[in-house]
Amino acid sequence: MSRRLGVTVVLAVAVLAGSAACGDEKPKAAPTVKPAKDPLSSCVDQLVYWGTENLRGAPGQEGDYQHMGLTADKYDALRKIQKNARVIMAKGELPPTWLQEQSEAACRKIVATPKPSNTVGGWPQ
């Protein structure tokens, strides 16, 4: 057998073996998609997360509201919550549910506030 024919045979076997191996694979399951959270839960989660991070002084977490993925309303609420939390923390420990409760109250107001209908992607038209 010539060298060229030998190389061709080896390549053909490799291709067939690869095709057979691919054919035996079971199709992978589609990734599970989590349902979108309602606006209130999403808002509360964001404020609790960033409030916790900022109050504990996590390094590298400084940023503006866009870095945090917050709207201006959410950022204003976060700043107010953090300011009040620091006053409480100066006197003692912050109650365990305080941040969650304050975030829920702020987010209820934010979600209830009517939004302009003439926006696309958050930008006025």
Side-chain angles (χ1 to χ4, degrees):
M1 180 162 45
S2 72
R3 180 167 172 80
R4 188 175 204 177
L5 181 58
V7 171
T8 303
V9 170
V10 170
L11 287 174
V13 169
V15 169
L16 289 174
S19 297
C22 290
D24 290 341
E25 288 185 27
K26 293 181 181 176
K28 293 182 181 174
T32 56
V33 177
K34 293 181 182 179
K37 288 188 175 188
D38 64 281
L40 179 62
S41 296
S42 178
C43 176
V44 171
D45 288 350
Q46 288 178 311
L47 294 188
V48 168
Y49 174 81
W50 286 112
T52 301
E53 291 296 296
N54 293 339
L55 290 171
R56 74 179 180 94
Q61 296 302 327
E62 312 80 31
D64 63 7
Y65 70 100
Q66 293 171 329
H67 165 81
M68 296 178 191
L70 302 175
T71 63
D73 292 339
K74 290 177 188 176
Y75 187 64
D76 290 343
L78 176 64
R79 288 179 41 200
K80 183 178 178 184
I81 290 168
Q82 289 174 164
K83 180 181 175 186
N84 294 336
R86 286 187 179 102
V87 169
I88 294 169
M89 291 168 65
K91 299 175 185 175
E93 202 169 296
L94 195 63
T97 59
W98 188 88
L99 189 57
Q100 178 78 23
E101 291 166 356
Q102 297 302 307
S103 296
E104 285 178 10
C107 287
R108 286 189 193 286
K109 290 178 186 175
I110 292 168
V111 170
T113 303
K115 307 292 184 264
S117 59
N118 62 339
T119 63
V120 174
W123 296 99
Q125 297 297 307

